[in-house]
Amino acid sequence: MILLWIVSVLIIGAVLMQPSKNNDAMSSFTGGASNLFSESKSRGFESFIQRVTIILGFLFFAIALVLMWISQH
């Protein structure tokens, strides 16, 4: 149970550390050119944080399933 709490806090931290992809809400209405390269591949720190978030998400899901299974048996 404590491990689930730790992973939860780490997921929140990883999500908060990810850089924002959009500049502002007006760019969606004006069709600004800032969205031209929004589909580019993430590199460096952004890629690392993205992978950490995915791994922590899988860990959270697996730990939750294991805890559910333990509580049933």
Side-chain angles (χ1 to χ4, degrees):
M1 181 77 165
I2 293 174
L3 187 60
L4 190 65
W5 279 93
I6 292 170
V7 170
S8 300
V9 170
L10 290 175
I11 287 174
I12 292 170
V15 169
L16 289 175
M17 289 176 65
Q18 290 182 357
S20 177
K21 295 263 184 200
N22 67 5
N23 293 335
D24 58 358
M26 284 303 292
S27 65
S28 63
F29 295 119
T30 60
S34 63
N35 292 334
L36 183 60
F37 299 107
S38 64
E39 297 297 321
S40 64
K41 195 171 187 178
S42 58
R43 297 174 187 231
F45 179 72
E46 185 178 341
S47 176
F48 173 73
I49 289 295
Q50 188 175 19
R51 287 182 187 168
V52 167
T53 305
I54 291 170
I55 291 169
L56 288 173
F58 282 126
L59 277 175
F60 179 85
F61 187 70
I63 293 169
L65 286 177
V66 167
L67 286 175
M68 183 185 69
W69 184 79
I70 289 172
S71 70
Q72 296 293 322
H73 290 91

